[in-house]
Amino acid sequence: MRLRFLRLRSFCSRSLRMLAALAALAATAMPAFAVDKVTFGTNWVAQAEHGGFYQAVADGTYAKYGLDVTIVPGGPQANNRLLLPVGKIDFYMGANMLQAFSSVAEGIPTIIVAALFQKDPQVFIAHPDVTAFEQLKQKTLFVSKEGLASYFQWLVADYGFSESQVKPYTFNAAPFLVDKNSAMQGYVTSEPYSVEQQGGFKPALFLLADYGFDTYATTIETRSELVKQNPDLVQRFVDASIIGWYNYLYGDNTKANALIKQDNPEMTDAMIAFSVAKMKEYGIVDSGDTKTLGVGAMTDARVKSFYDKMVEAKVVKPGIDYVKSYTTQFVNKGVGKELAPK
């Protein structure tokens, strides 16, 4: 009996050594999966409007797609847009299609590969007595220099607004709060919160996207060269970002919000909650074409519509080969749609 036991123990020992050797051989023959390091630059400081990207970092979605993503926040002292064409970052969060049209006109080899916001969050904020969009034409409007050169020219062309009613917007709500016969620009996800806190009332909100300013916003841009040389990388980043946005809006976004506050300590839970609620209420991310094509959707008809409006408003020069500004190669595939509420 003892001899049989010793032989069994010897057999087990040899088997374990053999298994260990096979495991070592397998490790040598099959190296670990290579993860692609990716840098994504945003166009402003961290906030809920960037939430889907932070979500994909926080919940491991990027990692599941073989990506090690570093988010580089923008801000008043940063210009991540300039870093994209020179290869310092791999992807950039664009504001709207106007920047992409400008890149084509200037011969900058960048291209939009997804649009995470179906609606630009640009809004006019008015006092509660304003109940119709047309009434804004009788108000003093606080508009920034950039706004005056872009969306306001469309308001002039399509709705008969006048530059004579404009006063400079200094990114301060105080002048609007004092002047009861005024309205001010802002993002539906941000400035109304400040107005509510400072003014003690809920303002009237007029989202320009709902009145025809149909640009895409919060786009993903990359270099045209990367699209040609590594479309698989681009596809994985787009798909993971889309899933990140579904999870941020409809799942547990606690960890993503913690990362946002880490990158921007001035951000509060209340501000984030307000922004997320407005994104849902106004269909900023998930509305229209996304219901059939998925978040991030873009269509040729939509881009042409916006381009034609901007040419008519003399914001964009005619004759630009605007179709070079974007591609639908990586979107409209219904990625992540099952994560949306039924």
Side-chain angles (χ1 to χ4, degrees), residues 2 9 14 17-19 42 44 66 75 115 128 150 162 171 183 208 215 250 252 260 266 285 287 296 303 320 336:
R2 177 176 174 79
R9 186 172 67 176
R14 288 197 305 273
R17 287 198 299 271
M18 187 179 294
L19 287 173
T42 68
W44 198 243
S150 58
S162 170
F171 299 90
L208 298 190
T215 181
Y250 304 125
D252 182 359
I260 290 171
E266 294 184 4
V285 176
S287 63
V303 177
I320 293 175

Side-chain angles (χ1 to χ4, degrees), residues 19-184:
L19 287 173
L22 288 172
L25 179 62
T28 303
M30 299 175 61
F33 180 70
V35 174
D36 291 302
K37 291 186 177 296
V38 170
T39 305
F40 175 62
T42 68
N43 57 20
W44 198 243
V45 296
Q47 52 195 286
E49 291 90 329
H50 308 169
F53 304 109
Y54 279 94
Q55 180 77 23
V57 171
D59 67 11
T61 299
Y62 283 135
K64 290 176 185 176
Y65 279 76
L67 302 172
D68 178 5
V69 175
T70 298
I71 297 178
V72 181
Q77 306 303 320
N79 194 336
N80 286 336
R81 186 174 185 80
L82 295 179
L83 301 181
L84 179 63
V86 298
K88 297 296 184 181
I89 60 175
D90 302 297
F91 296 95
Y92 173 72
M93 190 180 79
N96 58 41
M97 295 299 298
L98 287 174
Q99 292 180 333
F101 296 159
S102 177
S103 292
V104 172
E106 296 171 15
I108 299 172
T110 57
I111 188 168
I112 291 175
V113 293
L116 279 308
F117 281 13
Q118 291 298 294
K119 296 182 180 181
D120 191 306
Q122 190 71 58
V123 70
F124 266 119
I125 303 165
H127 290 271
D129 62 304
V130 179
T131 57
F133 187 69
E134 288 289 328
Q135 291 177 260
L136 293 174
K137 290 193 289 185
Q138 280 74 52
K139 304 295 181 181
T140 297
L141 300 177
F142 293 102
V143 180
S144 67
K145 182 171 65 174
E146 293 78 12
L148 186 61
S150 58
Y151 69 80
F152 196 81
Q153 298 307 310
W154 162 76
L155 287 172
V156 171
D158 277 28
Y159 285 94
F161 282 62
S162 170
E163 290 189 27
S164 64
Q165 64 184 118
V166 172
K167 287 186 177 180
Y169 177 59
T170 59
F171 299 90
N172 182 347
F176 160 72
L177 293 173
V178 171
D179 186 350
K180 304 300 182 184
N181 195 45
S182 71
M184 76 174 203

Side-chain angles (χ1 to χ4, degrees), residues 7 15 25 32 59 64 67 78 91 103 133 157 160 169 187 221-222 252 258-259 276 285 306 310 312-313 329:
R7 287 175 177 172
S15 298
L25 179 62
D59 67 11
K64 290 176 185 176
L67 302 172
F91 296 95
S103 292
F133 187 69
Y169 177 59
Y187 274 2
E221 295 186 24
T222 191
D252 182 359
L259 289 182
V276 172
V285 176
F306 182 66
M310 293 303 100
E312 182 180 352
Q329 176 182 348

Side-chain angles (χ1 to χ4, degrees), residues 172-249:
N172 182 347
F176 160 72
L177 293 173
V178 171
D179 186 350
K180 304 300 182 184
N181 195 45
S182 71
M184 76 174 203
Q185 74 170 50
Y187 274 2
V188 72
T189 51
S190 180
E191 280 77 9
Y193 177 82
S194 299
V195 169
E196 289 185 20
Q197 298 302 304
Q198 296 175 40
F201 64 89
K202 288 187 177 295
L205 303 178
F206 299 93
L207 188 72
L208 298 190
D210 289 341
Y211 295 91
F213 190 68
D214 54 355
T215 181
Y216 292 119
T218 304
T219 60
I220 297 176
E221 295 186 24
T222 191
R223 293 181 299 283
S224 303
E225 177 186 37
L226 188 61
V227 168
K228 294 176 183 177
Q229 295 183 352
N230 200 345
D232 173 69
L233 175 67
V234 176
Q235 187 69 71
R236 284 185 285 133
F237 183 77
V238 169
D239 287 351
S241 299
I242 289 170
I243 291 172
W245 271 103
Y246 274 116
N247 286 330
Y248 185 73
L249 289 178

